[in-house]
Amino acid sequence: MTGLVVRDLHAWYDKSHVLQGVDVEVPTGQTVAILGRNGAGKTTTLRSIMGLVRAQGTVTFEGQSLSGLPTHEIAGRGIALVPENRAIFTTLDVRENLTIAYRKGSPWTPDAAAELFPSLRKRWKSAAGRLSGGEQQMLAIARALMTNPRLLLLDEPTEGLAPVIVDHLVELMLSLKSRGLTILLVEQSIQVCRAVADTHAILDEGCVVWTGTTASLSSSADVLARHLTLENA
Ligand SMILES: Nc1ncnc2c1ncn2[C@@H]1O[C@H](COP(=O)(O)OP(=O)(O)OP(=O)(O)O)[C@@H](O)[C@H]1O
Ligand SMILES: [Mg+2]
């Protein structure tokens, strides 16, 4: 069945019309990357899918409409957002962060997550606020898994992290993909997008201006130069 389908999505912050007809499709089991400059509307797209922003348009997941549903019901349909700010409880330890997010019946228990994230296991009793940026990102992803999502929305998971940690996160995303998770990934790093995504969508000023495969992305230097910040292209 088709995973996520977003059609003609518009979103507003007060009177500011930020998304102006976004179309994105994430087939079940695939990873799609959304690229774009700062302020292009990437986070707003993920927040609109989760029902966190005033939006109009069609969003369906596994054939069912999400339009107008409150966020907790959207989460209940099997969608989890790992936000830019990572949304972890800094004063709780790693195990506590996972335990309070755990949803009964999920195959992703805190122990199961620890197998996938050995570096978190080593920090099991550390306050989350004392973890490195990379460890905090892994904890945020592990927390999202506790709800047993079928679709993961990841907002710039590699931002600000050292290259060796970025490589580690790429491996992790590939591992989640191989376990059947559908992923919509927002990224500014083309290298990361190329490594994990099946298709790519470039967002500029609230519209998708280009979509294509990894091969076509690599041969579209003109598109990248036009719509992305040079350092990332
Ligand atoms: N809470 C808000 N209130 C008003 N305007 C906002 C708010 N959040 C974002 N915006 C504006 O909406 C537009 C899109 O922002 P958004 O955060 O979706 O961009 P982004 O592509 O995620 O950028 P970045 O790469 O910096 O994270 C920007 O012009 C931004 O200034
Ligand atoms: Mg953003």
Side-chain angles (χ1 to χ4, degrees):
M1 202 192 287
T2 310
L4 180 80
V5 181
V6 174
R7 288 273 172 271
D8 198 27
L9 184 66
H10 292 253
W12 292 263
Y13 294 109
D14 294 321
K15 290 198 174 128
S16 166
H17 188 181
V18 171
L19 297 187
Q20 309 203 354
V22 169
D23 294 305
V24 175
E25 210 165 307
V26 192
T28 299
Q30 292 203 11
T31 298
V32 172
I34 297 181
L35 291 128
R37 291 192 188 103
N38 292 119
K42 305 180 297 295
T43 296
T44 305
T45 300
L46 298 188
R47 288 173 52 82
S48 299
I49 293 167
M50 264 340 263
L52 292 162
V53 180
R54 183 164 70 90
Q56 264 175 27
T58 321
V59 181
T60 63
F61 179 55
E62 298 175 342
Q64 297 203 309
S65 173
L66 303 181
S67 301
L69 293 182
T71 300
H72 70 272
E73 279 187 35
I74 293 171
R77 299 282 178 96
I79 305 179
L81 168 67
V82 180
E84 260 172 322
N85 63 13
R86 293 168 188 159
I88 52 176
F89 294 104
T90 51
T91 57
L92 300 184
D93 70 26
V94 167
R95 189 190 56 86
E96 288 163 340
N97 263 279
L98 296 178
T99 305
I100 57 166
Y102 177 69
R103 193 175 296 164
K104 205 163 164 253
S106 171
W108 288 104
T109 60
D111 282 332
E115 276 177 41
L116 190 65
F117 301 83
S119 52
L120 287 184
R121 167 67 92 192
K122 285 187 209 136
R123 308 297 308 269
W124 217 226
K125 293 284 179 188
S126 302
R130 300 187 66 89
L131 303 180
S132 68
E135 288 166 340
Q136 289 191 4
Q137 185 62 55
M138 284 173 212
L139 178 58
I141 296 173
R143 259 179 65 81
L145 292 178
M146 294 295 109
T147 66
N148 195 25
R150 296 185 295 287
L151 170 66
L152 209 48
L153 309 176
L154 300 176
D155 199 350
E156 300 206 34
T158 70
E159 193 190 6
L161 301 178
V164 58
I165 311 293
V166 172
D167 291 347
H168 197 58
L169 277 166
V170 164
E171 290 303 316
L172 183 65
M173 287 187 265
L174 289 172
S175 158
L176 294 174
K177 187 175 170 182
S178 74
R179 288 164 192 244
L181 253 99
T182 307
I183 300 174
L184 180 56
L185 166 71
V186 160
E187 256 302 331
Q188 297 222 28
S189 158
I190 293 207
Q191 284 77 6
V192 171
C193 292
R194 279 204 191 104
V196 300
D198 300 285
T199 56
H200 312 263
I202 297 182
L203 201 59
D204 201 354
E205 297 186 354
C207 295
V208 173
V209 293
W210 185 90
T211 52
T213 61
T214 300
S216 55
L217 182 72
S218 303
S219 58
S220 302
D222 56 328
V223 175
L224 303 182
R226 203 172 322 132
H227 299 292
L228 302 179
T229 309
L230 217 53
E231 63 185 282
N232 299 309

